[in-house]
């Protein structure tokens, strides 16, 4: 039996005994497991192949399209000690550039702070809020347009994420549950150790942070489109449906039950 077929047969036999991939078999297939903690998400079943990372062409699309396309993709953060953190993107917000009154680049104004929003698609834009927290965005097509990453579903390295989150919290705190680790833009930056140093990095080229394709294809029925959060007094732009999240995913920061009911009703009527 050829070596590759033999290894695949061994992997299949090992997996039949467990719901998790067999580390020894994965090593033989040149896939490196994360050994920092035995606790990984029970939903994590993605082969960890750096070669399959998303390239520049993926990010080179209009802002709204990119905001939807990012849902389900996997963000990977490699720490200085070599350990990796993996999280599935489950919530995004689109910021359309000059015309968008809620965007940092409204009016087409480019500053030292928002330069990354005007750089090639796939460039990270990291900014600070309240003087202590960070938020991370991905630039898209369009002058000054970018997508905010709002929430992740933690997949690998959850114990390390807890450590990073705990380090930023004051006083004695209860251990965070899985769904609390990355359910918000500042939380996911804390959990992944993302700070201003990541501003203007290229997701398609950087050695410490990148994305890989998610394990499943999503349809329009899987995506909820609703108003962005925390926009404030921005007129019609405060209500535009430019926030997108995976319907039914418990790791989303804020669920829009009204919109979901409307989607369910529409789905029922189209089937009748």
């Amino acid at each position: 039996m050829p070596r590759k077929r033999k290894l695949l047969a061994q992997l299949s036999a090992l997996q039949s005994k467990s719901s998790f991939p067999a580390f020894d078999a994965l090593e033989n297939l040149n896939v490196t497991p994360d050994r920092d903690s035995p606790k990984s998400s029970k939903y994590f079943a993605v082969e960890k192949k750096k070669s399959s990372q998303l390239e520049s062409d993926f990010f080179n699309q209009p802002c709204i399209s990119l905001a939807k396309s990012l849902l389900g993709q996997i963000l990977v953060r490699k720490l200085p000690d070599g350990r990796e953190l993996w999280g599935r993107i489950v919530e995004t917000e689109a910021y359309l550039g000059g015309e968008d009154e809620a965007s940092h680049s409204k009016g087409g104004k480019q500053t030292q702070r928002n330069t990354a929003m005007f750089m090639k698609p796939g460039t990270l834009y990291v900014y600070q809020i309240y003087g202590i927290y960070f938020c991370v965005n991905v630039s898209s097509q369009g002058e000054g347009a970018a997508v905010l990453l709002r929430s992740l579903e933690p997949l690998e390295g959850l114990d390390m994420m807890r450590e990073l989150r705990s380090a930023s919290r004051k006083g004695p705190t209860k251990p965070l549950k899985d769904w609390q680790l990355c359910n918000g833009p500042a939380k996911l930056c804390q959990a992944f150790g993302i700070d201003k140093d990541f501003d203007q990095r290229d997701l398609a080229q950087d050695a410490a942070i990148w994305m890989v394709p998610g394990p499943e294809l999503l349809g329009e029925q899987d995506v909820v489109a609703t108003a962005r959060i925390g926009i404030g007094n921005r007129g019609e732009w405060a209500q535009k449906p430019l926030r997108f999240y995976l319907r039914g995913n418990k790791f989303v920061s804020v669920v829009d039950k009204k919109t979901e009911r409307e989607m369910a009703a529409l789905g029922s009527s189209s089937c009748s």
Side-chain angles (χ1 to χ4, degrees), residues 136-173:
V136 61
N137 305 255
V138 181
S139 66
S140 67
Q141 285 182 5
E143 284 291 303
V147 177
L148 173 68
L149 302 185
R150 274 203 61 90
S151 296
L152 302 177
E153 176 183 339
L155 299 176
E156 189 75 4
L158 277 69
D159 282 353
M160 189 63 216
M161 294 181 200
R162 285 189 179 85
E163 289 184 27
L164 290 168
R165 285 292 314 280
S166 295
S168 62
R169 303 166 76 200
K170 296 181 179 179
T173 56

Side-chain angles (χ1 to χ4, degrees), residues 181-196:
L181 289 173
C182 305
N183 62 333
K187 293 177 182 179
L188 77 83
C189 281
Q190 289 176 350
F192 271 59
I194 298 172
D195 57 21
K196 191 64 176 177

Side-chain angles (χ1 to χ4, degrees), residues 38 78-79 134 144 164 169 190 198 212 243:
K78 187 172 185 178
L79 300 174
F134 295 95
L164 290 168
R169 303 166 76 200
Q190 289 176 350
F198 284 79
V212 299
R243 179 168 69 99

Side-chain angles (χ1 to χ4, degrees), residues 71-72 88-90 218 222-224 244-249 252:
L71 294 175
R88 181 183 184 222
I89 300 170
V90 298
L218 302 173
D222 300 312
V223 177
V224 178
F244 308 96
Y245 68 83
L246 293 186
R247 185 179 178 185
N249 189 283
V252 170

Side-chain angles (χ1 to χ4, degrees), residues 24-100:
D24 291 341
L26 288 175
E27 283 180 314
N28 289 334
L29 289 174
N30 296 320
V31 181
T32 304
D34 183 346
R35 300 183 181 279
D36 81 298
S37 166
K39 290 190 176 182
S40 300
S41 168
K42 63 181 179 180
Y43 308 103
F44 188 37
V46 181
E47 287 190 1
K48 301 173 66 175
K49 294 184 178 180
K50 177 68 159 61
S51 59
S52 67
Q53 75 181 77
L54 297 175
E55 299 181 350
S56 296
D57 288 346
F58 172 84
F59 304 103
N60 189 20
Q61 53 182 305
C63 192
I64 292 177
S65 176
L66 180 61
K68 294 179 180 179
S69 297
L70 284 171
L71 294 175
Q73 312 305 333
I74 312 298
L75 181 68
V76 184
R77 165 79 163 97
K78 187 172 185 178
L79 300 174
D81 63 5
R83 289 181 290 180
E84 292 180 2
L85 309 176
W86 288 53
R88 181 183 184 222
I89 300 170
V90 298
E91 184 181 2
T92 60
E93 286 181 349
Y95 289 85
L96 308 184
E99 63 175 331
D100 189 341

Side-chain angles (χ1 to χ4, degrees), residues 189-263:
C189 281
Q190 289 176 350
F192 271 59
I194 298 172
D195 57 21
K196 191 64 176 177
D197 183 57
F198 284 79
D199 187 49
Q200 300 187 22
R201 294 199 187 190
D202 185 350
L203 275 174
Q205 301 290 332
D206 201 82
I209 190 166
W210 63 88
M211 289 186 188
V212 299
E216 56 187 301
L217 295 176
L218 302 173
E220 286 295 325
Q221 73 280 1
D222 300 312
V223 177
V224 178
T226 186
R228 294 174 291 189
I229 296 174
I231 298 304
N233 186 21
R234 294 293 186 274
E236 63 176 336
W237 288 95
Q239 300 302 319
K240 286 185 180 293
L242 294 173
R243 179 168 69 99
F244 308 96
Y245 68 83
L246 293 186
R247 185 179 178 185
N249 189 283
K250 68 178 182 180
F251 298 91
V252 170
S253 66
V254 179
V255 171
D256 187 330
K257 294 182 179 179
K258 179 182 177 182
T259 299
E260 290 195 17
R261 285 195 298 268
E262 292 172 353
M263 289 179 65

